[in-house]
Amino acid sequence: MRLLTTIASLFCAAVIPLTLSAAEKPVMMLSYSEYIDPEIAKAYEAATGVKVQIDVYESQDDMLAKLQAGGVSQYDIVVATDVVVPTMIKLALVQKLDKTAIPNGVNIMEKFKNPAFDPGNTYSYPYQWGTIGLMYTTAKVKGDVSWALLFDEAKQPGPFVMMDEMRSMSGIAAMFLGYNASTRKPEEIKACGALLAKAKASSKCIGFDGGVGGMNKVLAGEAVAAVVYNGDAVRNIMDEKFAYTVPKEGGILWVDNMLICAKAPNKAGGEKFINHILDAKVGAQLSNFNRYATPNQASMPLITEADQKNTGIYPTAEQLKVCQFQEDVGAETKIYDQVWTAMKAR
């Protein structure tokens, strides 16, 4: 009997450390680069003892490929743009949130609740929102800014970079041609591909890159203009040599979201960190650092006054009128894929 008791004691002693170890698992997050204040993760670890490790990607296509290649069992949280969320759900790359573990979800602005791409916020909570527009060198670009700076050879002011994201660039091409940014018409999708192919073939096109890469090329003087995310540009424009704007034909509106991967090794830890990000003070710290717009109503009073007035971060009503959110295009995604792949291969 004493032997059985000793064995039982040893068994319990072995189990307890394993339980504690599981509770202290790091939170693994996959997100765009330069998208979170490192101090947020450091402070979270100091307060909870849980380390947050953040890996990065540069484009939606890269992120999807990484998850499909096994990332769904490597990462707990993935930050993804609204336009790809329906695809991620259909491909079973993400799982439903336990909202009881995320009480700070009540802080979300009304306009970001119950989005069309994720009814009821079943799988996602918003992280940041903003626009895709054009960053450029002011000495080379004058007057109204148009996507013609990329698509009309006679108006190209110098070397330029297009964004290496299929739906983003296809949507921009569609808006320039007067189509809906989420057109489902095969002939319009093909016309967008032809326009992108023509721009790519221009002697002034220096290729495709992620938003950060394109921004860096403008700052380095390698490019005169680049398609970028607004916050990347705003955060790095230090003087009047450079500017960012939504071109007159409009820009892409987006909202990035936090989701839990389908086979997350630490789902509970991931949801706790999502809840942390949705705290009023932490949400403000996030936006004040990365210079993107917050979807957190409770954070707004804590956003710097200068940023609240910066139209590169919070677009004017006139700019918003010509901007479009992109939608899931269902079966027509295959046509987009085919057109994009053919264009890139030329």
Side-chain angles (χ1 to χ4, degrees):
M1 186 67 175
R2 289 177 64 186
L3 178 61
L4 290 174
T5 303
T6 301
I7 291 172
S9 298
L10 290 171
F11 178 77
C12 290
V15 169
I16 290 171
L18 287 174
T19 304
L20 290 173
S21 176
E24 296 169 1
K25 278 184 182 178
V27 172
M28 304 294 293
M29 182 173 176
L30 180 63
S31 179
Y32 282 108
S33 64
E34 302 182 16
Y35 208 19
I36 187 170
D37 183 350
E39 295 303 316
I40 290 176
K42 289 179 184 177
Y44 186 77
E45 182 177 359
T48 66
V50 177
K51 182 177 178 62
V52 179
Q53 181 174 321
I54 302 168
D55 290 350
V56 302
Y57 66 87
E58 294 298 340
S59 75
Q60 298 163 11
D61 305 327
D62 290 345
M63 177 272 294
L64 287 172
K66 194 163 192 173
L67 291 186
Q68 290 178 294
V72 288
S73 58
Q74 179 182 354
Y75 296 104
D76 303 303
I77 303 170
V78 58
V79 175
T81 306
D82 54 320
V83 69
V84 297
V85 169
T87 297
M88 296 171 77
I89 295 170
K90 289 175 187 175
L91 294 175
L93 299 177
V94 292
Q95 59 180 294
K96 293 180 179 180
L97 297 172
D98 175 6
K99 293 188 181 180
T100 62
I102 312 174
N104 284 333
V106 298
N107 290 338
I108 294 169
M109 292 177 181
E110 200 62 36
K111 63 184 176 182
F112 295 110
K113 293 178 180 178
N114 196 35
F117 60 85
D118 179 23
N121 297 100
T122 304
Y123 292 84
S124 67
Y125 274 130
Y127 181 76
Q128 301 281 260
W129 70 276
T131 58
I132 296 176
L134 207 60
M135 180 177 175
Y136 58 92
T137 304
T138 53
K140 297 286 187 177
V141 177
K142 305 293 183 182
D144 287 343
V145 177
S146 166
W147 290 118
L149 297 174
L150 309 183
F151 300 133
D152 185 340
E153 198 159 359
K155 296 180 180 179
Q156 292 168 352
F160 64 87
V161 184
M162 292 191 285
M163 185 175 280
D164 198 12
E165 288 189 353
M166 178 182 74
R167 284 298 308 276
S168 299
M169 280 310 308
S170 298
I172 287 166
M175 296 175 79
F176 179 73
L177 293 171
Y179 308 149
N180 186 284
S182 301
T183 179
R184 290 170 173 260
K185 298 178 180 179
E187 66 275 14
E188 292 184 354
I189 299 170
K190 291 174 183 177
C192 292
L195 182 64
L196 292 172
K198 182 181 176 183
K200 177 176 178 279
S202 165
S203 61
K204 292 179 181 175
C205 178
I206 57 174
F208 293 80
D209 208 334
V212 172
M215 172 203 70
N216 285 333
K217 286 182 171 66
V218 175
L219 292 175
E222 297 173 34
V224 168
V227 183
V228 303
Y229 288 97
N230 60 312
D232 290 333
V234 171
R235 190 170 63 254
N236 289 280
I237 292 174
M238 301 300 176
D239 53 47
E240 296 181 354
K241 292 179 183 177
F242 307 103
Y244 169 87
T245 194
V246 171
K248 64 181 183 180
E249 298 89 356
I252 302 297
L253 274 175
W254 53 265
V255 54
D256 282 343
N257 306 271
M258 298 174 284
L259 304 98
I260 297 292
C261 291
K263 299 179 181 179
N266 188 6
K267 180 178 188 285
E271 288 170 337
K272 286 179 181 177
F273 191 66
I274 289 175
N275 188 61
H276 183 68
I277 292 292
L278 294 176
D279 173 79
K281 290 182 179 179
V282 177
Q285 180 182 350
L286 174 67
S287 290
N288 286 333
F289 170 81
N290 65 27
R291 313 296 296 281
Y292 285 102
T294 182
N296 190 326
Q297 188 63 53
S299 296
M300 279 304 297
L302 305 173
I303 299 297
T304 64
E305 185 178 353
D307 279 4
Q308 290 192 44
K309 294 179 178 179
N310 190 326
T311 58
I313 303 174
Y314 295 92
T316 66
E318 290 302 310
Q319 287 176 316
L320 288 173
K321 283 180 182 178
V322 294
C323 288
Q324 295 181 37
F325 278 107
Q326 289 187 293
E327 302 168 358
D328 177 36
V329 293
E332 280 67 34
T333 299
K334 290 183 179 179
I335 302 175
Y336 276 96
D337 284 334
Q338 292 166 357
V339 168
W340 179 259
T341 301
M343 180 274 298
K344 290 291 290 290
R346 291 185 185 180

